[in-house]
Amino acid sequence: MSAPVGVGIIGAGVISDTYLANLTSFPDVAVLIVGDLVAERARAQAEQYGVPAWGTADDVLAHPDVQIVVNLTIPAVHVEVSAAAIAAGKHVWTEKPLGLDRESTAHLLRDAEAAGLRIGSAPDTLLGPGFQSAKRAILEGAIGETLFAQAAFQTQGPDLWHPGPQFLFARGAGPLLDMGPYYVSALVSLFGPVDGVAAIGSRPRAQRRIHTGPAAGDLFDVEVDTTVQLVLSFESGQQAQALFSFDSALERAGVLEVHGTRGSLFLPDPNHFRGEISRIEPLGVLLDDVRPEQERIPVAQEGVVVGRGLGLLDMVRAIAEDRPHVATGELGYHVLDVLLSAEESAAGAGFVAVESTLAAPVPVVPRDMDPFARTL
Ligand SMILES: NC(=O)c1ccc[n+]([C@@H]2O[C@H](COP(=O)([O-])OP(=O)(O)OC[C@H]3O[C@@H](n4cnc5c(N)ncnc54)[C@H](O)[C@@H]3O)[C@@H](O)[C@H]2O)c1
């Protein structure tokens, strides 16, 4: 590879703004073309962010200087678009989930490996200074040996704010597959692979209403459970519980707590790149029934904060340095496997053993990673 590395984006929807803003600010990459089914959308995004070309997905794949395709399409076509990019000889960074089913997703990973190409998968929030500072604190023993974790994402649902929310209530999404990747990737990054999961779910409304944009007022069908609760067991012996809901009047997102032998850690929202981190220490002896307040002790956050695109940047540099990247296709596949196993459990399969694993622990991001440095 020679710097800067050529990137082509497929999918010019809602999330493409943040990718385009960030990727066009990294000296190690150059965004060369934006493609979309809707040509005008690709053109508008290319013009807004100073990208020299726009067109269809095929135009992106045919661009001779594009070395990495960024797949920002909807989940239903993630595998199809990523597979086309691999067939065209491009590395792939894809939004989550990596795919919708184990078979086609595993096939994609095998094809990429056979072609000597990399796949990276969102979420890349786990490379952010928020999560990384918390992970380093845990690895350095801030709460002793980790024992268990709790996670919660509960909101009224994205139909409140997304102008085209149907895909978020379709197969491959719902709170479990749309938000689960952030929380489960964070837990796997801390505890290692999951070996089993049990879940229950519910779908209180068969139809929901769009609240914003040109289709506001329209009803659409709900294809997946909109409240799911999970109990996870990890190969390493730890355990976690997690709640994902689009049915909660209470808006409480980003709860991630890890409890250890010498304290508990409050981590930042795993859907964000930064956030407050604090820990508490266990109480000493309780005398005369007096229960003192447990003081939250701040944990410093270190590192440069940007946003989505960080995982792609790490992959670009990892290719040049011939080292593994952090948010791999293997991790994305394992997280998908856990979430599909949870769906199967919620559909009545009981406790489901998770077959996939990881060959190595998820790497830690160096404190001094600077997205704005030219390194290639
Ligand atoms: N919206 C968010 O806040 C958000 C946050 C994080 C991750 N994501 C993820 O990003 C992805 C995209 O989400 P979004 O909200 O931007 O969706 P969106 O519907 O706004 O945009 C998707 C775009 O992809 C295009 N597209 C679909 N199929 C295509 C194909 N075969 N070829 C070319 N273009 C195609 C559509 O025309 C559309 O412009 C999803 O996987 C989602 O999970 C979204």
Side-chain angles (χ1 to χ4, degrees):
M1 278 197 182
S2 58
V5 171
V7 167
I9 292 181
I10 301 182
V14 171
I15 203 62
S16 68
D17 275 309
T18 178
Y19 271 94
L20 279 157
N22 292 332
L23 294 180
T24 53
S25 73
F26 298 157
D28 280 345
V29 302
V31 183
L32 301 176
I33 180 167
V34 181
D36 198 288
L37 281 179
V38 183
E40 273 315 303
R41 221 175 264 170
R43 178 185 187 158
Q45 291 300 73
E47 285 176 358
Q48 186 176 343
Y49 293 95
V51 175
W54 55 275
T56 63
D58 284 343
D59 293 328
V60 174
L61 300 183
H63 195 299
D65 298 326
V66 166
Q67 297 174 63
I68 302 190
V69 167
V70 177
N71 182 356
L72 306 182
T73 61
I74 55 170
V77 295
H78 278 176
V79 164
E80 176 189 326
V81 170
S82 296
I86 294 295
K90 319 287 190 191
H91 304 284
V92 169
W93 172 268
T94 177
E95 254 307 325
K96 48 76 190 162
L98 180 58
L100 296 195
D101 64 88
R102 296 181 183 87
E103 200 184 344
S104 70
T105 310
H107 201 278
L108 169 71
L109 294 187
R110 280 197 302 274
D111 283 352
E113 194 177 359
L117 295 165
R118 301 257 190 143
I119 298 211
S121 176
D124 56 358
T125 42
L126 92 165
L127 285 90
F131 178 76
Q132 285 296 320
S133 300
K135 179 170 174 171
R136 282 192 293 261
I138 289 173
L139 290 173
E140 287 162 10
I143 56 169
E145 296 291 317
T146 54
L147 302 173
F148 69 99
Q150 287 163 295
F153 172 92
Q154 55 188 117
T155 70
Q156 288 178 78
D159 42 342
L160 276 192
W161 58 267
H162 201 295
Q166 294 91 329
F167 80 87
L168 292 163
F169 293 83
R171 201 174 140 254
L176 184 66
L177 271 110
D178 184 51
M179 296 310 298
Y182 297 104
Y183 295 79
V184 174
S185 300
L187 290 170
V188 169
S189 176
L190 296 172
F191 290 173
V194 173
D195 63 9
V197 59
I200 52 172
S202 63
R203 196 177 314 178
R205 281 179 279 166
Q207 288 196 312
R208 312 264 296 214
R209 197 176 292 282
I210 301 174
H211 285 78
T212 181
D218 286 3
L219 286 170
F220 62 92
D221 292 338
V222 176
E223 293 177 13
V224 290
D225 286 350
T226 47
T227 294
V228 188
Q229 307 208 52
L230 273 57
V231 178
L232 300 151
S233 137
F234 293 81
E235 278 177 23
S236 51
Q238 287 117 329
Q239 54 186 264
Q241 66 179 74
L243 162 66
F244 302 106
S245 179
F246 286 167
D247 298 313
S248 168
L250 174 66
E251 296 273 321
R252 177 166 51 197
V255 176
L256 186 58
E257 300 164 0
V258 178
H259 308 281
T261 51
R262 290 197 288 110
S264 295
L265 194 77
F266 299 89
L267 286 86
D269 184 334
N271 186 17
H272 293 167
F273 287 79
R274 52 159 300 148
E276 300 218 333
I277 313 163
S278 60
R279 71 183 169 86
I280 58 160
E281 292 177 346
L283 297 172
V285 178
L286 284 183
L287 294 177
D288 301 329
D289 222 14
V290 176
R291 190 171 289 272
E293 275 288 308
Q294 285 185 290
E295 184 199 352
R296 283 204 186 204
I297 305 160
V299 173
Q301 180 182 255
E302 294 173 282
V304 179
V305 178
V306 277
R308 297 185 205 282
L310 200 55
L312 173 138
L313 181 66
D314 169 63
M315 190 170 90
V316 163
R317 291 176 175 175
I319 292 168
E321 294 162 14
D322 196 23
R323 61 167 170 84
H325 55 286
V326 174
T328 56
E330 183 196 38
L331 174 61
Y333 181 83
H334 178 63
V335 170
L336 175 69
D337 192 12
V338 172
L339 298 173
L340 293 177
S341 300
E343 271 189 348
E344 288 153 12
S345 176
F351 185 84
V352 176
V354 174
E355 290 188 0
S356 63
T357 187
L358 296 178
V362 179
V364 178
V365 175
R367 275 186 171 83
D368 60 356
M369 178 187 185
D370 180 359
F372 303 110
R374 163 156 272 167
T375 70
L376 301 179

